[in-house]
Amino acid sequence: MAVQRVFPLSCVVQQYAWGKMGSNSEVARLLASSDPLAQISEDKPYAELWMGTHPRGDAKILDNSILQKTLGQWIAENQDCLGSKVKDTFNGKLPFLFKVLSVETALSIQAHPNKELAEKLHLQAPQHYPDANHKPEMAIALTPFQGLCGFRPVEEIVTFLTKVPEFQFLIGDNAATQLKQSLSRDSQAVASALRSCFSHLMKSEKKVVVEQLNLLVKRISQQDCVECMACSDNTVRAGLTPKFIDVPTLCEMLSYIPSPSQDRLFPPAWSQEDPYLSIYDPPVPDFTVMKMEVPGSVTEYRVLALDSASILLMVQGTVTASTCTAQATISLKRGGVLFIGANESVSLKLTLPKDLLMFRACCLL
């Protein structure tokens, strides 16, 4: 009997403090839609839905005919399902973690090393860097969303330093002067100046930050200064209260914000030689997320085979899925997650005449 290589998954939800609360969270809504037994707690945050084999969130297999209980266990015994290139390159492990995020407040500032530096840090301090792999990321907006990614052109940062005295105060005169002078120098001088500005801002004492934020909120509530700062819209939406604006918000004056026309961003990796990037430069990742939209007038849609294992998330619509290896059809509706082994195609039959919206994560080497 052929090994079943397509099956539904039950995935792990992470309840980080920054997530949206209860049914206000898209993560919670996807969970409730896919699992009628799920109980959503309105007083708890639902921040991330993890679809993969991470040790802290290994997806459960929803098929009683499969002996292994989790996706990680199944892949360990069926490594060919990854695809030949993926299997050899990543030592028989699924090399990506597919997520849905539902964000209420600013996340912590993150910086991921590139492959070369990740290997070096892993050797030097495995307790702090347990993974020798880099972590390239791609984020796709399901709803209107704003993210900070890399650094703005230095000229823009200098403009904010000039127009926003509270920002200048937290950066410090010396660091601000260094950045202004770097405009006429080489890239190493720019990187050093950015490092100094960012370090001063992030290391500012909480008391001082609160004082400057109060001054900032008071000033922009008393005058029309929309043009003076990058984060004016956020501040107005927050009701001009410092409770909702903090150091990450001030980082908008340092960081690059993709234009509203972009629906995705690629956080840049950092190296030991150049950990501070002055301009956002999206890489070309090996890891891909495909967006699939199917009109409700189509009765059947085929998900094509790839030389990579993939994970499919149903965001909108209701279908039954069938394959050559599956013993029975699989019902999928909003929030449903499907694992698809390498070189497997899947036929989706629409059970309701409503448009489908799906996302498929894979690794194309």
Side-chain angles (χ1 to χ4, degrees), residues 10-305:
S10 174
C11 300
V12 174
V13 169
Q14 304 293 351
Q15 295 183 303
Y16 303 134
W18 49 259
K20 287 191 174 181
M21 303 296 288
S23 55
N24 287 325
S25 166
E26 178 68 3
V27 169
R29 292 194 292 265
L30 288 170
L31 176 65
S33 177
S34 63
D35 181 3
L37 298 179
Q39 298 291 323
I40 304 302
S41 299
E42 296 299 333
D43 60 345
K44 292 183 179 180
Y46 291 77
E48 297 189 2
L49 176 68
W50 285 16
M51 298 167 281
T53 60
H54 193 284
R56 291 195 291 111
D58 197 358
K60 294 181 179 179
I61 297 174
L62 295 178
D63 191 319
N64 293 331
S65 68
I66 297 176
L67 297 178
Q68 296 83 2
K69 299 301 180 184
T70 71
L71 180 59
Q73 293 169 350
W74 186 87
I75 289 177
E77 298 185 21
N78 298 274
Q79 295 183 11
D80 287 343
C81 76
L82 295 171
S84 57
K85 292 181 180 180
V86 176
K87 174 187 173 183
D88 294 342
T89 302
F90 297 100
N91 301 315
K93 296 181 180 179
L94 186 72
F96 61 85
L97 180 59
F98 194 20
K99 297 181 181 181
V100 176
L101 277 65
S102 191
V103 180
E104 179 67 30
T105 61
L107 283 67
S108 58
I109 303 297
Q110 298 184 24
H112 290 169
N114 62 16
K115 176 65 173 174
E116 181 182 0
L117 183 56
E119 291 176 346
K120 184 175 182 179
L121 293 172
H122 176 67
L123 289 174
Q124 292 176 344
Q127 72 277 20
H128 298 302
Y129 299 94
D131 193 342
N133 288 308
H134 57 329
K135 291 181 173 58
E137 291 187 333
M138 176 174 64
I140 300 175
L142 296 179
T143 59
F145 193 81
Q146 190 176 74
L148 308 182
C149 187
F151 285 96
R152 294 175 178 273
V154 176
E155 294 82 0
E156 291 186 14
I157 301 174
V158 169
T159 297
F160 292 131
L161 286 170
T162 302
K163 292 187 175 182
V164 186
E166 299 84 2
F167 180 49
Q168 162 99 20
F169 185 89
L170 293 173
I171 293 294
D173 292 339
N174 291 338
T177 299
Q178 181 184 358
L179 186 67
K180 294 173 183 177
Q181 292 176 345
S182 73
L183 287 170
S184 60
R185 301 175 64 186
D186 58 23
S187 60
Q188 289 186 345
V190 171
S192 177
L194 283 171
R195 181 185 300 112
S196 181
C197 288
F198 188 71
S199 297
H200 277 80
L201 179 59
M202 298 307 294
K203 292 179 180 180
S204 297
E205 293 184 11
K206 184 176 181 179
K207 178 182 177 181
V208 177
V209 172
V210 171
E211 290 173 350
Q212 292 303 309
L213 286 175
N214 279 319
L215 290 173
L216 173 59
V217 169
K218 181 179 179 180
R219 183 165 62 83
I220 65 176
S221 65
Q222 293 176 345
Q223 57 180 309
D224 181 15
C225 65
V226 172
E227 66 177 2
C228 78
M229 61 178 297
C231 55
S232 59
D233 288 344
N234 281 347
T235 307
V236 171
R237 283 198 298 270
L240 299 175
T241 59
K243 175 182 177 181
F244 294 102
I245 53 176
D246 50 15
V247 169
T249 303
L250 290 174
C251 280
E252 289 194 23
M253 285 176 274
L254 280 172
S255 304
Y256 173 88
I257 305 175
S259 69
S261 62
Q262 293 177 257
D263 67 349
R264 66 192 63 195
L265 58 82
F266 302 88
W270 55 279
S271 66
Q272 189 171 24
E273 293 74 22
D274 186 18
Y276 290 87
L277 306 176
S278 60
I279 299 177
Y280 171 66
D281 184 19
V284 179
D286 296 327
F287 307 96
T288 300
V289 177
M290 304 175 183
K291 181 179 181 181
M292 295 179 284
E293 296 177 285
V294 182
S297 58
V298 175
T299 57
E300 186 170 357
Y301 178 79
R302 180 165 292 276
V303 179
L304 299 179

